Amino acid sequence: MAYSDKVVEHAENPRNVGTLDKNDPNVGTGLVGAPACGDVMRLQIKVGEDGVIEDAKFKTFGCGSAIASSSLATEWLKGKSLEEASQIKNVQIVEELNLPPVKIHCSVLAEDAIKSAIEDYRKKRAAKPKA
Amino acid sequence: MSVKLPIFMDYHSTTPVDPRVLAEMLPYFTEKFGNAASRSHSFGWVAEEAVEYARERIAKFIGAQSEKEIVFTSGATESDNLALKGVAEFYKDKGNHIITCVTEHKAILDTCKRLEKEGFTVTYLPVDKQGLVSAEQVRQAITDKTILVSLMLANNEVGSVHPLEEIGKVTREKGVLLHSDAVQGVGKVEFDVQKMNVDLASITAHKMYGPKGVGALYVRRSKPRVRIVAQMDGGGHERGNRSGTLNVPSIVGFGKAAEIMMQEGREESQKLFGLRERLRTRIMDKLEEVYINGSMERRLPGNLNLSFTCVEGEAMMMAIKDVAVSSGSACTSASLEPSYVLRALGVGDELAHSSIRFGLGRFTTQDEVDYVADLVIAKVNHLRDMSPLWEMHKEGIDLKTVQWTAH
């Protein structure tokens, strides 16, 4: 399968690979996918007191398109409010990376990872009453 | 160390035409272009003579008793179809049971599925962890309705080499025909239709440094005389077994390729075994959690199939994009299912997704092997650094206990 230039570029130079402290109350972690299916994404966001995403990191086990989708997602997340971040749709990722139909599930997984990270962050905040 | 990129390490998929093969083929495109079926003029006679010479070379190559036992086809897929459907149709009054195994090529498995729709019963023998079927399994599976056993010489993914000599003893004793898809193994490991009691065998030129688009089916003519029903109707070429104008230049090349393999195959296999082991040990000395898929005892010399824990196969192929290899990962196929061959060996889905098949061949050099080994080591480390699974694994989390969201 031929990859788009953008997929190749992200896969070769992935942005924001890494790990944030999952125990930090300001960090939300989303872990989606399954090893048996061939892709697992972990996407983390660090949210500032103003509700804006300060930092985003990912690690992905998956094909080049999965790596590129999560790499792109972290780029897009930084500087967005949680509300804006939750508006990111998989079709935007498909368009930006020119993903072929067989790779659309990679973009779906990235959208799921974003949603899951936001949800994790919100749960944490709700569980921890403000001092 | 200097290597020319890209490096081809996918010799199971196909091989380049050996320059010596091409040189013999060329005149048959231009001045010696006759139709081998033209009996009335010298153009036809020249072509026919070339075809018969190739037939002799190929017969000798696989240990056939007579060149008349070689039927030229368009390739191994056609040979497999002709063998199975041809035997099934001819012997259907004798029985309706066929035995094969789960790791066969799709040309066998899908042909069997079609035969099942037509009323035949097919037993798909399981393989062990090494990818092998035993003679005892075959013996147990044979019934009084069995007409044919079809088992490959060597597997295209994991390189496992079936004990055909032992299996052939069983089929001969039981009076059942034995077909073998010998495409991957012939010339690389021992293959002799007489010694192994093989009654039909599929081979193809492009896996042995000949051209694409030509293959052969060996059909035994004595002890026992095997009969097949032709699946292609027309001019009655190939003794009525396969109609269609013969692809003379390619058949000439196929013959030359067979001759070279016969003369050089043994030495070449020793060289490939050495290079394969060099690649394997270099990689496995430097990387932890690398698993070998298939058998180390009964394996094609040029085959290495490895799973790199927590690294997805397609991402790996992309990371080493100047090296042509193949993967059992789902992402490399349209089906999104990982390799059925690896699954049959009991390799878990996760490791099947992480598999890479290296195929070494005639033109592989030691410099290439060293380059590939170093590149693989670097890229596996790189991809593990960005793998959440590797991080969890290193933290001591048992990945099997995690609740994954299947998608």
Side-chain angles (χ1 to χ4, degrees), chain B residues 35-37 237 242-248:
Chain B
N35 186 331
H237 307 74
R242 198 275 190 180
S243 289
T245 297
L246 290 176
N247 179 358
V248 178

Side-chain angles (χ1 to χ4, degrees), chain B residues 1 34 48 147 169 188 222 296:
Chain B
M1 175 166 90
E48 190 191 11
I147 50 174
K169 279 184 191 139
K188 292 146 198 157
S222 72
M296 281 313 287

Side-chain angles (χ1 to χ4, degrees), chain A:
Chain A
M1 173 179 319
Y3 299 97
S4 72
D5 292 345
K6 281 179 180 165
V7 168
V8 172
E9 209 275 316
H10 270 280
E12 286 182 349
N13 308 292
R15 330 292 198 252
N16 309 310
V17 174
T19 307
L20 298 171
D21 178 6
K22 64 176 183 290
N23 298 317
D24 182 335
N26 295 320
V27 169
T29 301
L31 181 67
V32 296
C37 302
D39 32 31
V40 174
M41 281 181 196
R42 190 194 61 198
L43 198 146
Q44 295 182 299
I45 51 171
K46 185 171 187 181
V47 186
E49 288 308 315
D50 54 359
V52 172
I53 297 169
E54 286 175 354
D55 201 2
K57 296 275 187 203
F58 85 96
K59 281 199 177 186
T60 290
F61 163 81
C63 65
S65 303
I67 291 170
S69 296
S70 34
S71 170
L72 178 67
T74 57
E75 269 195 326
W76 281 356
L77 285 171
K78 283 194 204 180
K80 281 199 167 61
S81 70
L82 289 180
E83 187 51 39
E84 288 165 339
S86 61
Q87 299 299 315
I88 294 173
K89 291 279 175 285
N90 81 293
V91 290
Q92 296 167 282
I93 296 170
V94 172
E95 277 169 24
E96 176 65 20
L97 296 175
N98 287 321
L99 295 181
V102 71
K103 295 296 184 187
I104 285 173
H105 72 278
C106 297
S107 69
V108 173
L109 207 58
E111 185 187 320
D112 289 350
I114 295 170
K115 293 213 163 87
S116 172
I118 293 172
E119 193 186 310
D120 181 60
Y121 169 77
R122 285 188 169 142
K123 264 188 198 159
K124 268 186 183 174
R125 299 300 286 186
K128 184 173 170 271
K130 280 185 181 166

Side-chain angles (χ1 to χ4, degrees), chain A residues 1 3 7-9 11-12 14 17-19 22 31-42 58-65 67 102-103 105 109 112, chain B residues 308-315 318 321 330-334 336 338 349-350 353-354 382-389 391-392 395 399 402 404-407:
Chain A
M1 173 179 319
Y3 299 97
V7 168
V8 172
E9 209 275 316
E12 286 182 349
V17 174
T19 307
K22 64 176 183 290
L31 181 67
V32 296
C37 302
D39 32 31
V40 174
M41 281 181 196
R42 190 194 61 198
F58 85 96
K59 281 199 177 186
T60 290
F61 163 81
C63 65
S65 303
I67 291 170
V102 71
K103 295 296 184 187
H105 72 278
L109 207 58
D112 289 350
Chain B
F308 301 95
T309 308
C310 299
V311 175
E312 200 276 330
E314 190 186 338
M318 201 168 168
K321 65 180 187 324
C331 291
T332 59
S333 67
L336 294 182
D349 282 353
E350 187 192 330
H353 281 294
S354 302
H382 167 71
L383 289 169
R384 279 178 174 173
D385 282 345
M386 56 190 290
S387 169
L389 301 179
E391 187 182 308
M392 293 162 82
E395 283 170 1
L399 297 174
V402 177
W404 300 105
T405 51
H407 55 284

Side-chain angles (χ1 to χ4, degrees), chain B residues 113-216:
Chain B
K113 279 185 197 147
R114 183 180 290 263
L115 288 169
E116 282 181 293
K117 281 184 196 150
E118 290 169 10
F120 290 88
T121 307
V122 180
T123 298
Y124 301 90
L125 294 173
V127 295
D128 64 12
K129 277 191 159 53
Q130 309 212 313
L132 298 169
V133 163
S134 70
E136 192 48 37
Q137 273 177 283
V138 174
R139 182 186 293 279
Q140 300 284 341
I142 292 174
T143 71
D144 56 356
K145 293 282 182 209
T146 308
I147 50 174
L148 178 70
V149 173
S150 179
L151 289 170
M152 66 205 326
L153 172 60
N155 183 268
N156 48 307
E157 287 192 36
V158 292
S160 306
V161 180
H162 272 143
L164 279 188
E165 196 172 341
E166 293 165 39
I167 291 165
K169 279 184 191 139
V170 172
T171 49
R172 183 62 83 242
E173 179 198 320
K174 296 278 188 182
V176 172
L177 296 177
L178 175 62
H179 166 256
S180 183
D181 178 337
V183 164
Q184 292 287 348
V186 70
K188 292 146 198 157
V189 293
E190 198 192 358
F191 184 66
D192 184 310
V193 292
Q194 277 306 106
K195 200 172 161 194
M196 295 175 165
N197 288 310
V198 169
D199 301 309
L200 303 107
S202 304
I203 58 175
T204 192
H206 81 104
K207 308 279 195 196
M208 44 188 263
Y209 312 96
K212 293 167 185 61
V214 63

Side-chain angles (χ1 to χ4, degrees), chain B residues 225-239:
Chain B
R225 179 181 174 85
V226 178
R227 307 293 295 274
I228 54 173
V229 176
Q231 302 296 308
M232 186 77 81
D233 297 316
H237 307 74
E238 298 297 274
R239 296 170 193 280

